[in-house]
Amino acid sequence: TIQQPLNTNEEIHEAEFNWRKTFEKHHFLEGNWRHHKPTEFTLAGHSGSVTCICYDSRREKIFTGSEDSTAFMWQSVEKGAKSQEIFQQHHRQKHAVSKLTAYSGHAGAIWCVVIGEHRLYTGGYDKTIKFWAISTGKCIGTLRGHQHWVSCLAVKDGVSQEVMLSG
């Protein structure tokens, strides 16, 4: 692929601004992780060990999967809070984390959870991938075909469809 050089002063200024903005954001995040002591908090609700966790910045929700064969959606912050502050400054979090929705249907531990634009995907010890309606917790479908447990998932949001990869 051949990239075209920047032609106008506007394009050069915008490229420089984006680089600078990205650097400042990373510098801020790095400083928070190095110089602040985090506070632990517990997501009480699973009856087994939590095996995977995923944060959805669009919805400001946390999703967890567990050895107890369930996945949960959690409200991570008070509505209207800035999403970039959730994990960088979680030691200052004053709002309780609450369980919103349960996703139940796997026949064994859930090893991976990932969020798509419209669905939650879980992979488990039962060698299946399930996809769920995020808001209702209903299983939309089950994919079979793995010969061993499903240990990783990735989703690429497309213009007309989501593409899901598994392993």
Side-chain angles (χ1 to χ4, degrees):
T1 306
I2 299 173
Q3 292 186 350
Q4 296 293 325
L6 298 175
N7 296 325
T8 66
N9 286 339
E10 242 177 69
E11 290 174 330
I12 293 170
H13 177 70
E14 185 164 328
E16 183 178 301
F17 175 75
N18 289 337
W19 176 86
R20 189 171 294 176
K21 187 175 179 181
T22 302
F23 175 80
E24 288 172 354
K25 181 180 176 183
H26 282 95
H27 181 72
F28 174 76
L29 293 175
E30 182 74 22
N32 274 335
W33 283 109
R34 286 182 186 264
H35 303 295
H36 296 288
K37 182 178 178 187
T39 299
E40 294 180 17
F41 59 94
T42 302
L43 304 174
H46 285 292
S47 60
S49 297
V50 172
T51 55
C52 51
I53 188 166
C54 180
Y55 176 68
D56 181 8
S57 61
R58 290 177 289 205
R59 295 172 185 86
E60 296 184 342
K61 304 285 189 273
I62 297 170
F63 293 84
T64 56
S66 173
E67 287 182 340
D68 65 9
S69 75
T70 63
F72 290 144
M73 176 173 62
W74 307 83
Q75 177 67 47
S76 58
V77 295
E78 183 177 288
K79 197 166 184 80
K82 294 179 182 176
S83 62
Q84 69 259 33
E85 294 177 356
I86 292 170
F87 288 113
Q88 298 106 11
Q89 298 179 3
H90 60 278
H91 59 283
R92 296 182 190 166
Q93 186 171 343
K94 297 176 184 173
H95 309 287
V97 177
S98 58
K99 182 171 57 173
L100 298 177
T101 307
Y103 306 88
S104 184
H106 277 279
I110 293 176
W111 293 115
C112 48
V113 59
V114 67
I115 304 299
E117 181 71 30
H118 304 290
R119 295 177 186 90
L120 170 69
Y121 298 89
T122 56
Y125 188 76
D126 59 1
K127 305 175 190 173
T128 66
I129 298 166
K130 293 190 177 285
F131 47 105
W132 312 83
I134 292 174
S135 60
T136 65
K138 291 185 180 181
C139 183
I140 298 169
T142 302
L143 302 174
R144 292 174 172 77
H146 280 268
Q147 294 186 17
H148 300 285
W149 61 79
V150 181
S151 59
C152 57
L153 293 170
V155 172
K156 169 71 172 138
D157 296 331
V159 175
S160 61
Q161 62 185 1
E162 291 177 340
V163 176
M164 194 256 312
L165 307 169
S166 64

